[in-house]
Amino acid sequence: MLLSFRFTFFLFLALSINLILSVVAVASSHSEKLNSENQSIASGFFINDSGFIITSFHVINNKKKIFALLSKTKGYPAKVIKTDPELDLALLKINAITPFVYLSHSNGVPAGMDVVTIGYPQVSLLGLNPKITRGIVNSDSGIKDDKNSFQFSAEVQKGNSGGPLIAPGGTVVGVVQSKLDALKLSEETNDLTQNVNFATKSSVLLEFLRGVSNIPSTQPLEAEQPMRAIRIYDQLQASIIPIVASD
């Protein structure tokens, strides 16, 4: 029984990885398959209907091929428009008409506000359907009181980087940036820290986008609205996509 379970699990894992590579191969104009060891897979989101995408800089850094997957069988090559390594932000573009999310133009992200994130964590194991997690804003600043970011508790995993952090009204208040390495930190503090995650503020993202024509679309932050996670997922999931980058 144990051997059968192990075989089934590893077969599933191999098939999942092959699925991702096959999707990217369909999107590419080249016939060769991409090497999964040199691949970065993360989340991104459209900020207007002309194919502009926000994701994390570290995902596409030094990568020669970048694709945005609009479905499990359809992808588009993405062009890098602008990057900021320090803020870990990248602006990409594909040639397509796209759904999009609205950014919050609020300068503040109040502690205690409900938030959700939608993205593509651990796709080789969990697949290409978008995953949603829920939490709150723990602090209006980031590591060492960094004012460009804030701390939140919604669970994130490898692959969530570059995805949106969404407020109760459905506007994007941040870009998922990083999480604390709990195991490494526990070695130094003898305390296992959980769900300590950080996002770049939407106000910082808007400043990053200054000077780029026709973007972004913004709406006011409605921090005290009830969080309707089901509605947000249904309305926004098409605007949030996997980003695949390879050497």
Side-chain angles (χ1 to χ4, degrees):
M1 179 69 72
L2 180 59
L3 289 176
S4 175
F5 171 79
R6 286 179 176 173
F7 174 79
T8 303
F9 173 78
F10 285 113
L11 177 61
F12 169 76
L13 186 60
L15 289 174
S16 298
I17 293 172
N18 285 335
L19 170 64
I20 297 167
L21 297 179
S22 298
V23 170
V24 175
V26 168
S28 176
S29 60
H30 304 285
S31 60
E32 73 271 20
K33 294 189 81 173
L34 299 176
N35 185 344
S36 61
E37 293 182 355
N38 297 321
Q39 217 172 19
S40 297
I41 302 174
S43 304
F45 55 97
F46 292 111
I47 55 173
N48 72 354
D49 61 1
S50 300
F52 283 93
I53 306 166
I54 290 296
T55 191
S56 292
F57 170 77
H58 74 263
V59 175
I60 58 95
N61 185 30
N62 295 323
K63 300 298 184 182
K64 296 178 181 177
K65 299 177 182 178
I66 305 170
F67 295 92
L69 306 186
L70 271 63
S71 71
K72 294 179 181 179
T73 58
K74 189 174 184 180
Y76 288 82
K79 179 181 178 181
V80 178
I81 304 299
K82 187 177 183 180
T83 63
D84 189 320
E86 186 173 335
L87 296 174
D88 196 25
L89 293 174
L91 177 66
L92 312 177
K93 189 180 187 309
I94 64 171
N95 292 323
I97 298 174
T98 56
F100 62 94
V101 299
Y102 287 94
L103 306 182
S104 166
H105 54 243
S106 172
N107 289 325
V109 183
M113 182 179 71
D114 288 329
V115 288
V116 296
T117 185
I118 302 173
Y120 297 86
Q122 304 287 2
V123 294
S124 61
L125 181 62
L126 301 179
L128 283 169
N129 286 331
K131 309 300 187 294
I132 183 170
T133 58
R134 183 172 179 169
I136 64 169
V137 175
N138 302 112
S139 172
D140 65 356
S141 59
I143 296 176
K144 296 183 178 179
D145 294 328
D146 174 35
K147 296 303 181 183
N148 290 327
S149 61
F150 62 94
Q151 181 185 332
F152 67 96
S153 65
E155 291 186 27
V156 295
Q157 306 293 334
K158 184 177 181 180
N160 278 113
S161 293
L165 200 67
I166 304 163
T171 57
V172 173
V173 292
V175 182
V176 176
Q177 184 185 74
S178 62
K179 63 184 292 183
L180 284 186
D181 188 329
L183 293 178
K184 185 176 180 179
L185 189 62
S186 69
E187 294 174 358
E188 300 177 3
T189 64
N190 293 320
D191 183 29
L192 186 60
T193 303
Q194 297 181 357
N195 293 340
V196 179
N197 312 306
F198 300 96
T200 302
K201 293 178 179 178
S202 58
S203 57
V204 175
L205 173 59
L206 287 168
E207 187 63 30
F208 166 75
L209 293 170
R210 185 184 295 274
V212 180
S213 60
N214 300 325
I215 56 175
S217 298
T218 65
Q219 287 185 343
L221 175 63
E222 299 177 346
E224 296 186 10
Q225 268 198 25
M227 172 60 77
R228 296 181 173 88
I230 295 174
R231 179 184 298 178
I232 286 173
Y233 183 86
D234 288 342
Q235 291 178 346
L236 300 188
Q237 62 171 311
S239 304
I240 303 163
I241 56 171
I243 303 296
V244 182
S246 66
D247 295 340

